[in-house]
Amino acid sequence: MIGTAIAIRSCLLSSGVLSIIGGEQAIQRAHDGRYVALPARWCGHTLLLASVYLPSGDPTAQRALITTRLHALAASAGARQVLWGGDFNFAPVPH
């Protein structure tokens, strides 16, 4: 089973320092668990926080996920900055 998560300290939410814009229903989850994303407001910044898990050892599948689904996710951010995190399972310049 594949899954991603975004951990947020509860005190950030309860203090209002960080808020999820649109609540629980605004959270976007991939049907296969490859990403989760949520619109957030943090210290005056409007962001789309995203956690990603790319396929391991399959460059073709990695490129396909990036060019189709993650590209669409980034486009859906609108004016929000996207903050990507996760396990990308590749090195840009392998040694």
Side-chain angles (χ1 to χ4, degrees):
M1 175 175 267
I2 297 170
T4 54
I6 297 175
I8 299 173
R9 290 181 181 257
S10 61
C11 65
L12 294 175
L13 293 169
S14 63
S15 68
V17 170
L18 187 138
S19 61
I20 299 171
I21 301 168
E24 177 75 24
Q25 61 273 16
I27 298 172
Q28 301 174 55
R29 296 174 178 88
H31 66 279
D32 60 358
R34 289 284 176 190
Y35 69 81
V36 62
L38 57 94
R41 189 166 293 111
W42 180 35
C43 296
H45 300 279
T46 305
L47 308 167
L48 181 67
L49 306 177
S51 179
V52 179
Y53 180 66
L54 291 184
S56 179
D58 186 347
T60 302
Q62 291 171 344
R63 280 188 201 92
L65 186 72
I66 291 168
T67 58
T68 57
R69 295 165 63 196
L70 298 185
H71 179 74
L73 181 63
S76 76
R80 295 182 293 253
Q81 294 290 323
V82 182
L83 180 60
W84 299 99
D87 186 351
F88 297 95
N89 280 314
F90 70 88
V93 182
H95 297 280

